[in-house]
Amino acid sequence: FIKIKLQMIFSKPIVLVGMMGCGKSTIGKIVAEKLKWIFIDTDKEIESIMKLSIKEIFDRFGEEFFRKKEYEILKFYSKKKKVLISSGGGAFCYNDTQKIIKNYFNSVWLDVSEEIIFQRLKKNKNKRPLLKTLDNKSLRKKIKSIMFERKSCYKKANLRIELPEQNVNESSNKTFLEITNYQSKQI
């Protein structure tokens, strides 16, 4: 009986949503391992399919093209079981993508403060197409603007997990516990 119950709890795949730099990929990989699930990073999947970096994809084809690729990946995994996906920061704010996530996945918003995002992104902004040309002052403004735009989308996630500044293990453990608690209440 318990085994059947656990299978029902985890019948839907999970998609992590939230700002770039909130830890979706890093935390997602660790949580998927703990669940013994497959981990998919949509950015890495798109890079692999296109044989280009995210920056090159944005430069050559634009953001709209990139968002369509995200949608295709999520559609492919929508019927799979035991899959945890790290989505791009803007994926959940595109209508078609949000619909597929809401219909077929449990969505989890990793909510991290603006300051934490800034500290993380200033270290690797060259890897991020939307941020690569910004100085620190402009980066702060851009983060504030993107967070303001996207917050209403992220609020539609099934579960919100607030992550203060802490190490990766603490964030991963908190995320794992909150996801498993949420999933167990869905029966």
Side-chain angles (χ1 to χ4, degrees):
F1 174 73
I2 291 174
K3 192 172 187 175
I4 292 169
K5 204 170 186 181
L6 280 174
Q7 287 173 343
M8 288 171 59
I9 292 170
F10 297 115
S11 63
K12 279 184 161 184
I14 296 170
V15 175
L16 300 179
V17 301
M19 278 291 290
M20 59 184 121
C22 73
K24 296 182 301 287
S25 297
T26 305
I27 292 168
K29 194 179 293 183
I30 295 167
V31 171
E33 262 180 46
K34 288 179 178 212
L35 291 170
K36 296 183 176 31
W37 285 19
I38 295 167
F39 174 72
I40 303 295
D41 182 320
T42 58
D43 286 356
K44 300 287 182 227
E45 289 281 303
I46 293 168
E47 286 178 329
S48 176
I49 291 165
M50 298 295 298
K51 310 256 187 282
L52 296 168
S53 70
I54 298 300
K55 179 190 174 315
E56 291 170 317
I57 294 166
F58 267 71
D59 290 347
R60 287 190 194 180
F61 305 105
E63 185 176 2
E64 197 65 35
F65 176 86
F66 177 78
R67 298 299 173 201
K68 285 180 182 168
K69 291 294 177 196
E70 282 179 322
Y71 172 81
E72 290 169 9
I73 288 165
L74 288 162
K75 186 174 180 184
F76 176 80
Y77 286 104
S78 66
K79 302 281 199 272
K80 308 284 185 199
K81 300 212 186 283
K82 297 185 178 185
V83 175
L84 189 146
I85 299 173
S86 167
S87 67
F92 201 54
C93 296
Y94 279 77
N95 279 341
D96 290 344
T97 304
Q98 189 180 98
K99 282 179 193 168
I100 202 164
I101 291 171
K102 293 298 283 176
N103 287 329
Y104 296 101
F105 297 87
N106 279 322
S107 52
V108 177
W109 172 23
L110 299 184
D111 187 8
V112 177
S113 77
E114 191 178 311
E115 183 59 28
I116 294 170
I117 297 288
F118 172 74
Q119 293 302 325
R120 290 177 182 172
L121 294 182
K122 77 177 185 178
K123 294 176 193 168
N124 67 357
K125 65 183 177 184
N126 291 335
K127 296 178 185 175
R128 305 203 181 252
L130 298 176
L131 308 177
K132 62 185 176 194
T133 61
L134 304 178
D135 61 23
N136 283 347
K137 185 177 180 182
S138 300
L139 177 61
R140 273 193 192 279
K141 281 177 81 173
K142 184 70 169 178
I143 291 167
K144 185 181 215 71
S145 169
I146 292 171
M147 287 182 89
F148 180 78
E149 284 173 26
R150 294 181 178 172
K151 194 169 192 169
S152 62
C153 299
Y154 297 152
K155 283 182 175 181
K156 295 176 186 173
N158 298 106
L159 176 63
R160 175 184 182 184
I161 301 174
E162 293 180 84
L163 296 173
E165 183 59 61
Q166 54 191 4
N167 70 40
V168 173
N169 287 334
E170 291 170 328
S171 292
S172 301
N173 287 337
K174 180 177 182 179
T175 302
F176 174 76
L177 290 171
E178 290 202 29
I179 285 173
T180 52
N181 286 338
Y182 171 79
Q183 298 260 43
S184 66
K185 293 174 186 173
Q186 297 308 301
I187 295 181

